Each structure stands twice: as structure tokens, then as C-alpha cells.
């Protein structure tokens, strides 16, 4: 907002006491209520305001506290924002909006408060979709999104908001559409995203103890997908495990597996595999959510199984100190 005075930040809760998990803390005090402001609870109207303002020259950073409620805006996003420049032959004003959407599990969020619909949005030409998994990538991708001339959906997993890590100073930007190899390996490739990147990294020590060298790719961008990085890794390792935060049918993991099968079938040493949520709505009850979400131990077992190995996950399981449906002792509720 210092770089470009055309940037506006608005949405439910951006200036309330909680400030969207603290992510908008200090903004209204620094940039004033004309650039940072709350909106009435009308997701479609709010999104329409953002599209209209962007066509008038603004760059809009809009926050919806639940991805699920954002579904009320699909006509605005799909039929207006995503197609605008295409319909006018690239001659119309760009729709420069970034939409922050919070998704993911936890604290009984249930079937209407925890959906992972990144594959839906990635299906729409004209939309860009990113899912950071680290503080540095959150900053870098958000800056890249803010200065992109296309609408960008910025999907934040609820459990990652308290994550700590090194944060590059200054104008740090991560290119949209470039995956990161977060661990190098030679026995199999694990492609993942968002919170599942963290779970996969937690699985690595157990795999290494079993003598398995896994290469981990964090997609970071869901659209565009960095298939070059994925396929280069699969050609090197010969095996692919695609780990998704969503259910498997028509998922990002499905796209990764299909592309690998089409482009480097002759280099595969075994069938690719997906690891995702069960294919039915997310339950609310703690008794039902226990075991619903794949975590590090399931990733380790799945990866080892693809090599015909077994892996000891007792240490991972023993490390759990919080109830299974909350990210940590600090978590007191969705707000």
C-alpha cells in the first residue's frame, strides 16, 4: 500500500479487533479508513464493488472470512472478473483484484465452513489461484498478486496463520506459477500444496529413517500450474504421490496424476497415487473428524507403500499434543 496508493483493502473484519487472524493489524491506523474499511455482509455486492473499483483504476485486496461464503459471488467472479479482458480483446481495463479466502479444517468447522475448492476456481480461464504454505511465500505471493493485472484468488489455510518462519525484508515477490522444490530426493516425488506441504515435511524424517529419499514439491500456484517442475521430478524419481487438501475426484491431485501419466508414462516405475480427503462432506463432530484428514503419518505410510516398504510413524503420532481438530493450544476458535 506504500508502493501504490491505488491499493484498497476491504472486507469483513479487516478493521475489527481480531483483524483476520491479525493479518490486517495496523492497516487502518496507517493508511486510513478511506483505503482500509469494513463492508456490509453481502459477499456478492462487496465483490461487485471490487470489480467496479478495479475497472476505475483501483487495485483491490478483498477479504472473505470463509471460502464457503464466497460461493455467493461466483457470478461476479466467473462471468465478470475472469472473462472481462478476454471479451474485450484485451483492450478493456484490467480487473486487478486479489481475493483472500480462508479455508481448511479445525474446531468443528464442518461441511459449510471448511471446504477446499481450489480445483473449482482453477478450472476457470482468467482466474489465477495461489496457496502459500510458508510466511515467506505468503508475503511473496501476495505482493505478486497485488501487482498482477488479472484477478487472483489467494487461498489461506486456517492452520497456517500461526506459522512462524523467516520473512524476507522489502519488496519480496514470489512469481505466480512457479512451484518450489522444498526437499530434494531420488526415490519418489511428492507433490502437494498449502497445509499438506507442512504435513509432508513432517513425514520426511520417518521416511529418511526407513531409507526413503523423497522429493517434495510445493505447488504454491494452482493456476497456472508449474507442470515443468513436477514432470522433471517425476522423470527423475519414477514415482509420484499427489497430496491434496481436498477430496480426490476432479481435484488438483487428479490433474497432477493425469498429466504425469500422459507426459512421462514411460518413466514411471509404478502407478501414481493420490492422497486426499474422503469423497464426502466434511463432518463436524470431533468423533467423525478424527481420521478424516490425512496427516504426516498417512503421507509417510502411503509414500513407503509405493516402494514396497514399511515405515515407523510412532514418533510422529506421539508428537501430537493438541486435540486432533485444532492446530495448537493457541487456537481458541475460528476468529
Amino acid at each position: 500500500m506504500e508502493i501504490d496508493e491505488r491499493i484498497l483493502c476491504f472486507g469483513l473484519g479487516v478493521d475489527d479487533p481480531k483483524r483476520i487472524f491479525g493479518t490486517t493489524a495496523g492497516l487502518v491506523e496507517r493508511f486510513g479508513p478511506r483505503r482500509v474499511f469494513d463492508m456490509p455482509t453481502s459477499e456478492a455486492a462487496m465483490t461487485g464493488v471490487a470489480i467496479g473499483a478495479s475497472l476505475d483504476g483501483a487495485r483491490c485486496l478483498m477479504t472473505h472470512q470463509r471460502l464457503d461464503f464466497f460461493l455467493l459471488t461466483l457470478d461476479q467472479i466467473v462471468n465478470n472478473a475472469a472473462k472481462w479482458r478476454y471479451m474485450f480483446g484485451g483492450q478493456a481495463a484490467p480487473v486487478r483484484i486479489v481475493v483472500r479466502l480462508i479455508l481448511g479444517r479445525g474446531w468443528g468447522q464442518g461441511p459449510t465452513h471448511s471446504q477446499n475448492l481450489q480445483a473449482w476456481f482453477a478450472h476457470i480461464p482468467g482466474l489465477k489461484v495461489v496457496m502459500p504454505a510458508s510466511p515467506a511465500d505468503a508475503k511473496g505471493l501476495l505482493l505478486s498478486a497485488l501487482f498482477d493485472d488479472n484477478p487472483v484468488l489467494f487461498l489461506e489455510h486456517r492452520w497456517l496463520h500461526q506459522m512462524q518462519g523467516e520473512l524476507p525484508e522489502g519488496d519480496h515477490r514470489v512469481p505466480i506459477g512457479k512451484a518450489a522444490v522444498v526437499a530434494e530426493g531420488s526415490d519418489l516425488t511428492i507433490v502437494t500444496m498449502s497445509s499438506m506441504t507442512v504435513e509432508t515435511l513432517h513425514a520426511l524424517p520417518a521416511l529418511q529413517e526407513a531409507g526413503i529419499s523423497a522429493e517434495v514439491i510445493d505447488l504454491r500456484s494452482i493456476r497456472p500450474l508449474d507442470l515443468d517442475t513436477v514432470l522433471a521430478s517425476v522423470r527423475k524419481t519414477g514415482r509420484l504421490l499427489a497430496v491434496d487438501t481436498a477430496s480426490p475426484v476432479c481435484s488438483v491431485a487428479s490433474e497432477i496424476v493425469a498429466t504425469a501419466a500422459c507426459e512421462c508414462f514411460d518413466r514411471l516405475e509404478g502407478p501414481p497415487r493420490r492422497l486426499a480427503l474422503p469423497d464426502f462432506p466434511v463432518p463436524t463432530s470431533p468423533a467423525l473428524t478424527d481420521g478424516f484428514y490425512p496427516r504426516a503419518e498417512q503421507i509417510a505410510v502411503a509414500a513407503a507403500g509405493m516402494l514396497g516398504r514399511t515405515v515407523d510413524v510412532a514418533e510422529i503420532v506421539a508428537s501430537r499434543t493438541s486435540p486432533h481438530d485444532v492446530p495448537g493450544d493457541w487456537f481458541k476458535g475460528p476468529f
Side-chain angles (χ1 to χ4, degrees):
M1 297 184 75
E2 287 180 340
I3 295 171
D4 192 336
E5 64 180 12
R6 295 175 297 175
I7 295 177
L8 307 175
C9 177
F10 58 90
L12 299 179
V14 297
D15 59 354
D16 76 6
K18 295 295 185 181
R19 307 284 175 102
I20 318 292
F21 291 95
T23 57
T24 57
L27 284 185
V28 67
E29 291 81 2
R30 188 168 181 176
F31 298 103
R34 291 179 62 84
R35 296 182 65 191
V36 181
F37 49 89
D38 206 336
M39 291 286 279
T41 308
S42 177
E43 286 79 4
M46 183 165 64
T47 304
V49 167
I51 294 171
S54 70
L55 294 177
D56 197 40
R59 293 183 181 274
C60 297
L61 174 58
M62 181 173 53
T63 298
H64 291 270
Q65 295 203 14
R66 295 286 186 284
L67 177 149
D68 315 73
F69 304 158
F70 182 65
L71 300 183
L72 293 166
T73 76
L74 283 184
D75 181 56
Q76 298 275 5
I77 288 296
V78 174
N79 287 323
N80 294 321
K83 303 172 182 174
W84 191 264
R85 296 186 75 187
Y86 174 81
M87 290 192 299
F88 292 96
Q91 302 302 308
V95 179
R96 294 164 172 153
I97 62 173
V98 181
V99 188
R100 291 181 54 201
L101 302 170
I102 297 171
L103 52 77
R105 61 182 296 193
W107 205 65
Q109 296 292 306
T112 60
H113 287 64
S114 58
Q115 296 172 89
N116 291 263
L117 302 177
Q118 58 268 23
W120 279 29
F121 302 126
H123 185 72
I124 306 300
L127 294 182
K128 294 185 177 182
V129 182
V130 300
M131 298 184 79
S134 71
D137 283 350
K139 175 179 180 177
L141 286 169
L142 184 59
L143 276 171
S144 292
L146 278 170
F147 293 99
D148 199 289
D149 282 344
N150 299 281
V152 181
L153 304 190
F154 193 89
L155 308 187
E156 308 169 14
H157 195 283
R158 182 175 291 105
W159 281 30
L160 299 180
H161 278 100
Q162 297 299 320
M163 189 176 182
Q164 297 182 2
E166 293 186 10
L167 196 64
E169 296 289 338
D171 189 357
H172 166 70
R173 302 190 193 188
V174 172
I176 296 174
K178 182 62 179 174
V181 179
V182 294
E184 295 189 354
S186 57
D187 291 333
L188 85 159
T189 299
I190 304 177
V191 179
T192 183
M193 69 202 75
S194 187
S195 64
M196 297 309 286
T197 297
V198 179
E199 295 289 350
T200 301
L201 293 176
H202 284 171
L204 284 189
L207 290 172
Q208 291 164 354
E209 186 68 23
I212 297 170
S213 172
E215 183 147 292
V216 180
I217 296 176
D218 176 15
L219 288 174
R220 301 197 293 195
S221 295
I222 306 303
R223 183 166 184 145
L225 272 174
D226 183 5
L227 294 172
D228 290 342
T229 296
V230 172
L231 295 177
S233 178
V234 174
R235 291 188 177 104
K236 180 177 75 172
T237 66
R239 294 179 176 85
L240 168 63
L241 173 62
V243 181
D244 207 315
T245 64
S247 56
V249 178
C250 300
S251 64
V252 176
S254 298
E255 180 67 20
I256 295 295
V257 167
T259 302
C262 290
E263 299 296 330
C264 50
F265 184 78
D266 58 335
R267 302 294 291 272
L268 290 172
E269 298 183 19
R273 181 176 174 182
R274 295 174 299 180
L275 183 63
L277 274 59
D279 190 24
F280 46 81
V282 175
T284 303
S285 161
L288 295 176
T289 54
D290 191 10
F292 186 86
Y293 295 94
R295 299 197 66 178
E297 52 267 39
Q298 284 83 19
I299 296 170
V301 169
M306 294 177 67
L307 291 154
R309 311 266 191 90
T310 58
V311 61
D312 184 359
V313 297
E315 187 170 340
I316 300 175
V317 175
S319 69
R320 308 287 184 210
T321 57
S322 302
H324 74 273
D325 203 27
V326 297
D329 296 336
W330 53 269
F331 194 77
K332 304 303 180 187
F335 297 103

